[in-house]
């Protein structure tokens, strides 16, 4: 690009005269500076990547105007009434506002005066883009809140809104100078990488915890807003530099970028901060190369998709004011917006060449079920935004991806109602969109089936019981996380910012939940079988710690033991604290615990009674009755305690079965006993995990009298 010429003007009249000459000549490369040659050299030092020369200061004006008399302002008054490229509103069009007035003249803005106290609303109505120039102390939290509420609700409010202020008048003048340099660079097509790996960047996006003074940056650094030239403050005055304990502290003004997009709560605090303005991270950034900052003035409910949206809009040539306005209006039917973002600097400023947007195209087709949008993104665009009429009714809206490329992970949509009856749909991703054409549909959101969440919550609750008794496994952890992730995705659908696959996910949620439950059920059953192979399991004793309320279930649960006929009593386990599902544990006077079952389960399971075992194998018949209205999948495992350690064979993994409504299913299990197995009383244990992760347990004791047979006796003797 051609060299830029900085023209230092040490007083108001010379500055106004230089601005007037540049405006009339349409010369973007001659930039008047409100300051001395030293100020011009300091400004040029911020741009080692640009060709900049510093011209001699112009001679004093004749007659010698007094810079405080207001005559310097008069030199520009006829020009600022001719502006057609937006509005600059000033609280006091006097000498202190001269840099802002100069910026209005050089950028073709019309200047209007604001009444006191500040009330820009009427003065700015009807302007598509507007700047408010006022001292920082006037921009308190209440004024900013009123300003943003007005902008997001009044159809006559400007779409792009910025504030032009500084820590003091001198900083405001330096911000204006950097804005003019940036404007000249962009007009010449000189746009830096964004962000760059090293060296200056066109913009930096910072999403970190912080406050109005300090802000996390990168992996370890902390940006500090303390004014670099501020001398140590005397005792009794606030000074965060006194005995600073922050490691890796970095001055905010050291950031080498033209624009900073800040996602940190209270980042935009020009006034009414807790600390003096000399320690503001906002003004600290503007002491360096940045000419503009976009930031929230209060705490915001931010997340990763919001950061992706900010960067996607910036990389897609959205002006800063448009980015802030979009963020401030994000919402869905029935949701209240939370406007928080502002621009300090020119709201028309873009961070990539604006001409890239001219190739974006879109077609819309209305159908009874919604509006179909056919989009052709601009080359390398990360986001496209389309205005549409807002559908009538109170139903929340969602965007359905119709092009396969948009169904891939990492694509998002955001909805932003506009003042009046419109809505803007933004489709974006963390990276360039497919060249298209791309098709999406704006449709009513699918209502959530509450049973899906109830099923998932119940399964995760039952999973805690299984993990408590048998421990967990990587497969169980993964399957449980998949269920929790699905529940989180669909629980609040549609959010104001959603992944593009959210609507298909919500529509398929019942089937997806069942698939995840099946995976979790199989993983849990495998964990039970593996644990039982090496350990002696007494399930009821193991999970009793989860149930603070243990008491007799009552006569309806009592009866004869199914294996020996002796009296058995049922005990009910309840958990009013963590609400683990209630269970009934049946205890026989002779056999001990014979059943530990979920309360009111649709599946009824029983097993045949074993006689005294004298051979090398035992066989058991399992009966399952489905008394419920739906088909049920289940995992079944039957073995002895420590079966792998003992060498018992025949069944090493759970069996997968399914039972139709009203069906009775019988399944036989045969176990083989090792030759050296000793005579003993053994416990045969049946574990069944149902489709909702309910754990069913049956047990019976039997006598192994293996050495009663000669062949077994000889094998034992040989082993001895």
């Amino acid at each position: 690009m051609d060299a830029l010429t900085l023209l230092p003007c040490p007083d108001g009249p010379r500055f106004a005269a230089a601005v007037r000459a540049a405006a009339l000549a349409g010369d973007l490369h001659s930039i008047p500076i409100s300051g001395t040659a030293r100020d011009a050299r300091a400004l040029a030092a911020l741009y080692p990547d640009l060709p900049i020369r510093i011209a001699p200061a112009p001679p004093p004006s004749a007659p010698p105007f007094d810079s405080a008399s207001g005559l310097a302002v008069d030199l520009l008054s006829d020009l600022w009434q001719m502006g057609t490229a937006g509005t600059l509103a000033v609280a006091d069009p006097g000498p202190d506002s001269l840099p802002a007035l100069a910026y209005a003249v050089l950028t073709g803005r019309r200047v209007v005066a604001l009444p006191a106290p500040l009330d820009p609303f009427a003065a700015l109505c009807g302007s598509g883009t507007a700047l408010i120039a006022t001292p920082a102390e006037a921009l308190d939290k209440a004024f900013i809140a009123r300003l943003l509420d007005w902008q997001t609700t009044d159809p006559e409010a400007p779409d792009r809104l910025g504030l032009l202020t500084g820590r003091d008048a001198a900083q405001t003048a330096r911000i204006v100078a950097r804005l003019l340099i940036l404007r000249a660079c962009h007009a010449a097509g000189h746009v830096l990488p964004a962000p760059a790996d090293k060296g200056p960047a066109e913009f930096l996006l910072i999403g970190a915890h912080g406050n109005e003074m300090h802000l996390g940056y990168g992996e370890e650094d902390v940006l500090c807003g303390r004014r670099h030239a501020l001398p140590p403050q005397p005792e009794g005055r606030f000074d965060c530099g006194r005995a600073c304990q922050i490691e890796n502290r970095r001055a905010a003004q050291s950031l080498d970028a033209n624009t900073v997009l800040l996602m940190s709560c209270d980042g935009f605090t020009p006034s009414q901060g807790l600390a003096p303005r000399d320690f503001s991270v906002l003004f600290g950034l503007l002491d360096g190369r940045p000419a503009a900052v976009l930031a929230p003035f209060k705490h915001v409910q931010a997340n990763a998709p919001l950061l992706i949206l900010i960067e996607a809009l910036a990389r897609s040539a959205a002006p800063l004011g448009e980015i802030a306005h979009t963020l401030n209006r994000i919402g869905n039917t029935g949701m209240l917006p939370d406007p928080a973002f502002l621009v300090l600097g020119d709201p028309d400023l873009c961070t990539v060449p604006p001409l890239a947007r001219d190739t974006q195209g879109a077609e819309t087709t209305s159908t009874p079920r919604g509006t179909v949008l056919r989009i052709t993104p601009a080359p390398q665009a990360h986001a496209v935004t389309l205005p549409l009429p807002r559908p009538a009714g109170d139903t929340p809206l969602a965007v359905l991806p119709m092009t396969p490329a948009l169904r891939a992970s990492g694509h998002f949509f955001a909805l932003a109602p506009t003042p009046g009856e419109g809505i803007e749909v933004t489709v974006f991703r963390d990276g360039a969109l497919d060249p298209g054409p791309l098709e999406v549909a704006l449709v009513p959101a699918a209502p959530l089936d509450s049973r899906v969440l109830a099923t998932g919550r119940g399964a995760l609750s039952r999973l805690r019981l299984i993990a408590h008794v048998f421990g967990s496994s990587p497969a169980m952890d993964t399957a449980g996380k998949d269920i929790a992730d699905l529940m989180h995705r669909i629980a609040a659908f549609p959010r104001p910012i959603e992944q593009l696959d959210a609507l298909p996910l919500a529509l398929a949620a019942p089937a997806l939940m069942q698939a995840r439950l099946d995976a979790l059920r199989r993983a849990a059953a495998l964990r039970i079988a593996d644990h039982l192979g090496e350990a002696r399991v007494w399930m009821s004793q193991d999970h009793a710690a989860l149930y603070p309320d243990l008491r007799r279930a009552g006569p309806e649960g009592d009866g004869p033991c199914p294996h020996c006929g002796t009296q058995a009593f049922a005990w009910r386990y309840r958990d009013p604290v963590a609400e683990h599902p209630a269970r009934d544990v049946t205890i026989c006077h002779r056999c001990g615990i014979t059943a530990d079952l979920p309360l009111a389960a649709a599946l009824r399971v029983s097993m045949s009674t074993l006689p005294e075992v004298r051979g090398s194998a035992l066989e058991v018949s399992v009966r399952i009755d489905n008394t419920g209205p739906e088909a049920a999948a289940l995992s079944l495992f039957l073995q002895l305690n420590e079966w792998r350690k003992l060498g018992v064979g025949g069944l090493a993994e759970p069996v997968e079965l399914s039972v139709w409504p009203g069906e009775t299913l019988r399944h036989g299990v045969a176990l083989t006993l090792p030759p050296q197995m000793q005579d003993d009383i053994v416990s045969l244990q049946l574990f069944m995990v149902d489709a909702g992760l309910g754990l069913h347990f049956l047990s019976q004791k039997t006598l192994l009298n293996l050495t009663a047979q000669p062949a077994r006796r000889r094998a034992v003797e040989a082993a001895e």
Side-chain angles (χ1 to χ4, degrees), residues 162-173:
L163 300 178
L164 193 52
T165 191
R167 181 189 298 113
D168 48 36
Q171 187 184 48
T172 303

Side-chain angles (χ1 to χ4, degrees), residues 237-277:
R237 286 192 180 182
F238 179 85
D239 189 348
C240 70
R242 187 187 300 119
C244 176
Q245 301 296 312
I246 297 177
E247 297 182 3
N248 302 316
R249 175 184 173 275
R250 179 173 175 178
Q253 74 177 61
S254 67
L255 290 194
D256 200 7
N258 290 333
T259 301
V260 176
L261 310 177
L262 193 57
M263 185 56 261
S264 177
C265 299
D266 297 310
F268 197 106
T269 307
S271 177
Q272 208 179 18
L274 296 175
R277 283 196 289 274

Side-chain angles (χ1 to χ4, degrees), residues 518 521-523 525-526 633-636 653-658 665 667 689:
D518 289 344
R521 170 176 52 79
R522 289 189 288 267
L526 282 169
L634 58 95
S635 301
L636 181 81
E653 291 187 353
V655 177
E656 298 297 315
L657 303 170
S658 59
L665 177 68
H667 183 79
V689 184

Side-chain angles (χ1 to χ4, degrees), residues 89 205 343 444 483 658:
L205 173 62
V343 176
I483 288 176
S658 59

Side-chain angles (χ1 to χ4, degrees), residues 451 455 514 602-603 625-633 658-663 691:
R451 293 175 298 178
T455 299
Q514 190 56 59
L603 295 182
D625 295 285
N626 186 355
T627 65
E630 298 178 353
S658 59
V659 194
W660 290 100
E663 181 186 7

